[in-house]
Amino acid sequence: MMSYQRVRTQFAFGAADKLREEVDALIVFVREEELLSSQPEGWLHPQVDHLLRSYYAKSIFKAKPQETQVIPTFGFTAGSHAVFIGIGNPPYNTDHLRNAGAAAAKAVERLKAEHVQIRLPQDIVAGACGCDAGQAAQAITEGFLLWLHKRLPRKREHNRRHAVQSVTLLPGSGEPKDSETFRDAWTSGVARGILFAEATGYARDLTNMPGNSLNPQGLAEEAIRLAKRLGLECEIIDESAAAEQGMGSLLAVGQGSKNPPRMIVMEYQGAPEREEVWGLIGKGITFDSGGLSIKKSDEMENMMLDMGGAAAVLGAMHIIGAERPAVNVVAVIPAAENMPSDRSYKPGDVLTTMSGRTIEVIDTDAEGRIVLADAMTTAIRRGATKLIDVATLTYAVIVAFDDHITGAVSNNEVLQQQVLEAGRRTGERIWALPTDDYYFKKLESDAADLKNFDKSSGDAIVAGLFIGVFAEGMPWVHLDIGGTGWLSEDRGCVRKGGTGVMVRTLAELIVSGQ
């Protein structure tokens, strides 16, 4: 059973003169140029302002991006502490503001504050700093809440995330012109930030679930719960129905486990009169031992992360179902365990996929592309006209980009650019990989239509092109989150463990691009 803790922090955008007596911490976003000014903010007590400026003069605090300085207020102003967060100087993009929000959350977490005010420079409030007011509001809210969402260890003594009860975002002083317009933009931006952070946290919790708690049937049941909550259609194709429909690749990967595979299909219709249907496909290998081509033991303990693509798709559907955009979406998740046993599929086997194409198995640890073959065909048969698959697919993408950037392979430049732009807006970096004819030759097989692995280099590209064969020429983008789907240490607004990467990019692409 999923143990996801929903975001319950109350976020609001308030008037500049609002002051809560119950504030535990006052967060102030500070530009370096403000500290060079001889005119202090009128709402900040002179004693606190003087102390901050003395820190700047002594180079203790320079207001560099994400730099933090905590100063006791000594009762001169609201809260026991004022926390100054450096944001550099404008212009800012949403990444700057998202990371500033995360820096604020880190300080709040250390202080164990429950009621927080965040004071913002006027140009950020007025949307005159490089991004508009709604984008700024969403980014700060996302960064704050994404940082607070960390993996919960399963211990005898129950451990909970730090709970911030309320956050009020306020202009530093005065109100910008046309304040009602900006207030509306900030209110809607905050609401969107909460939704995007909540959906990403949901995907993180799914990815972090250990393999003994989440098998293919468990993932299917979670999809049913999500669909029911959002009012979406959901169908679970079990092993018998999969056999009837010819899903030979999904069944082969899952046959080594006592937990049979499932094909999960979720549908949202927001524009039934349109023929265009987005197809979102997420790899759902709930545990990957490598099968008979077994992994090294020191590479296996985190292999529950191999359903990070499925988690991303479910997280995106969380947002789509809540926002109800005028689009149509079919989400498909091939769920299986890749385990070694006397029933396992073997190197040298030839599999027949749902599309009728055959696959020569070279390496059973290259199972993700195999199950995605049947998932792509399933999405197309359910009406998908353009496709995006998300998968923790290869180690090669880590060699290329470490855990910093998601690799993309596509057959359509227009769709690929739309995906890359959505990633830029959400701060989830994506890099397009080449698709020269040279790489297609690595798919050639003497025994079947194509092989699932080539022992030479370039597997991040070749694996993507393998999946693209099953796009049937429709616009398609593959996103390899083999590196970005899991972090071994905290970074920016992302805690270590499952990252929920691509939830916000997929949602931004589909909800904002409608």
Side-chain angles (χ1 to χ4, degrees):
M1 185 73 176
M2 189 71 174
S3 59
Y4 173 64
Q5 293 181 10
R6 288 195 167 197
V7 174
R8 299 193 183 278
T9 303
Q10 292 183 350
F11 258 81
F13 181 73
D17 59 354
K18 183 174 182 180
L19 195 64
R20 297 175 62 114
E21 293 182 1
E22 66 270 30
V23 166
D24 300 316
L26 175 65
I27 310 292
V28 185
F29 284 7
V30 183
R31 298 189 303 255
E32 184 176 9
E33 60 189 26
E34 288 177 319
L35 295 177
L36 292 170
S37 169
S38 60
Q39 298 297 322
E41 289 278 11
W43 56 268
L44 191 62
H45 192 280
Q47 294 289 348
V48 178
D49 181 77
H50 175 74
L51 188 55
L52 176 65
R53 290 173 185 275
S54 70
Y55 281 7
Y56 178 78
K58 297 175 182 177
S59 296
I60 297 172
F61 176 71
K62 301 297 287 185
K64 301 300 182 185
Q66 301 176 59
E67 185 182 4
T68 303
Q69 181 64 55
V70 180
I71 298 178
T73 63
F74 304 112
F76 288 128
T77 189
S80 60
H81 293 83
V83 182
F84 296 91
I85 306 292
I87 54 173
N89 291 320
Y92 309 116
N93 59 32
T94 53
D95 263 357
H96 288 121
L97 299 181
R98 199 174 286 110
N99 287 331
K106 292 173 188 178
V108 166
E109 191 175 51
R110 288 194 298 271
L111 294 171
K112 294 182 169 51
E114 295 185 355
H115 298 282
V116 179
Q117 275 190 7
I118 299 179
R119 293 277 178 163
L120 305 164
Q122 281 286 36
D123 56 355
I124 291 179
V125 174
C129 62
C131 55
D132 66 36
Q135 292 170 334
Q138 180 178 347
I140 292 169
T141 304
E142 279 180 6
F144 191 94
L145 293 177
L146 286 172
W147 175 261
L148 291 182
H149 190 101
K150 65 179 179 180
R151 182 181 183 181
L152 292 179
R154 299 190 174 201
K155 297 183 178 180
R156 184 174 66 177
E157 299 298 327
H158 187 52
N159 188 17
R160 297 187 64 84
R161 299 180 178 106
H162 173 64
V164 177
Q165 301 299 317
S166 67
V167 177
T168 307
L169 300 164
L170 302 173
S173 62
E175 291 277 7
K177 293 180 180 179
D178 197 13
S179 60
E180 198 62 37
T181 299
F182 291 119
R183 189 177 303 281
D184 291 344
W186 273 80
T187 299
S188 60
V190 165
R192 202 158 187 255
I194 292 172
L195 176 61
F196 274 53
E198 179 177 307
T200 304
Y202 169 78
R204 288 180 181 177
D205 283 351
L206 268 177
T207 306
N208 287 330
M209 288 187 75
N212 63 337
S213 298
L214 188 71
N215 58 31
Q217 178 60 28
L219 185 58
E221 291 171 357
E222 179 55 38
I224 292 171
R225 284 191 290 271
L226 179 66
K228 184 176 181 180
R229 191 162 70 241
L230 298 172
L232 307 181
E233 297 294 323
C234 187
E235 178 186 354
I236 307 302
I237 300 170
D238 65 15
E239 66 271 33
S240 298
E244 291 175 3
Q245 296 180 40
M247 298 181 184
S249 58
L250 174 67
L251 292 169
V253 171
Q255 72 190 33
S257 172
K258 69 175 183 179
N259 297 308
R262 296 287 183 264
M263 187 70 81
I264 302 165
V265 182
M266 188 181 295
E267 296 186 62
Y268 165 79
Q269 278 201 330
E273 72 285 356
R274 294 186 191 174
E275 293 185 359
E276 184 179 83
V277 179
W278 287 95
L280 302 182
I281 298 98
K283 176 185 172 185
I285 302 297
T286 57
F287 189 81
D288 181 21
S289 71
L292 292 180
S293 304
I294 197 162
K295 295 178 183 291
K296 296 177 181 178
S297 61
D298 61 355
E299 297 175 354
M300 211 186 294
E301 71 272 14
N302 291 330
M303 280 299 109
M304 71 278 201
L305 70 85
D306 219 16
M307 44 66 65
V313 167
L314 289 175
M317 293 303 289
H318 178 118
I319 297 171
I320 291 165
E323 292 274 277
R324 315 302 290 189
V327 296
N328 303 313
V329 184
V330 56
V332 180
I333 294 170
E337 280 186 342
N338 186 25
M339 300 293 285
S341 75
D342 60 336
R343 303 180 304 278
S344 296
Y345 78 126
K346 306 173 291 298
D349 284 357
V350 174
L351 314 177
T352 301
T353 67
M354 191 179 183
S355 71
R357 293 183 182 86
T358 55
I359 299 170
E360 179 188 8
V361 178
I362 304 298
D363 189 330
T364 65
D365 194 23
E367 84 298 329
R369 64 203 77 178
I370 295 178
V371 298
L372 287 167
D374 281 348
M376 294 278 283
T377 303
T378 299
I380 291 169
R381 292 189 182 179
R382 299 300 179 103
T385 57
K386 48 186 177 181
L387 304 148
I388 300 175
D389 78 85
V390 187
T392 48
L393 204 67
T394 67
Y395 181 77
V397 79
I398 303 175
V399 174
F401 301 132
D402 197 11
D403 56 9
H404 187 51
I405 297 176
T406 294
V409 177
S410 179
N411 65 1
N412 186 281
E413 183 63 24
V414 173
L415 181 58
Q416 180 168 258
Q417 287 303 317
Q418 290 173 348
V419 173
L420 266 59
E421 177 56 32
R424 278 190 283 271
R425 292 197 297 269
T426 60
E428 296 182 329
R429 296 192 64 191
I430 306 168
W431 193 270
L433 295 166
T435 57
D436 299 18
D437 289 345
Y438 166 81
Y439 297 104
F440 281 94
K441 295 178 181 179
K442 294 175 180 283
L443 297 175
E444 294 176 357
S445 166
D446 293 331
D449 290 317
L450 64 168
K451 60 186 179 184
N452 81 319
F453 185 73
D454 185 85
K455 295 180 180 179
S456 61
S457 55
D459 191 48
I461 299 169
V462 177
L465 293 176
F466 178 100
I467 298 166
V469 169
F470 298 88
E472 309 296 350
M474 292 185 180
W476 154 81
V477 175
H478 158 68
L479 298 171
D480 190 341
I481 59 170
T484 55
W486 185 275
L487 292 184
S488 57
E489 59 184 10
D490 298 337
R491 181 183 303 150
C493 60
V494 185
R495 309 296 284 257
K496 65 181 180 180
T499 64
V501 71
M502 293 298 119
V503 168
R504 292 178 295 117
T505 293
L506 292 177
E508 178 71 19
L509 174 70
I510 293 174
V511 174
S512 299
Q514 57 180 304

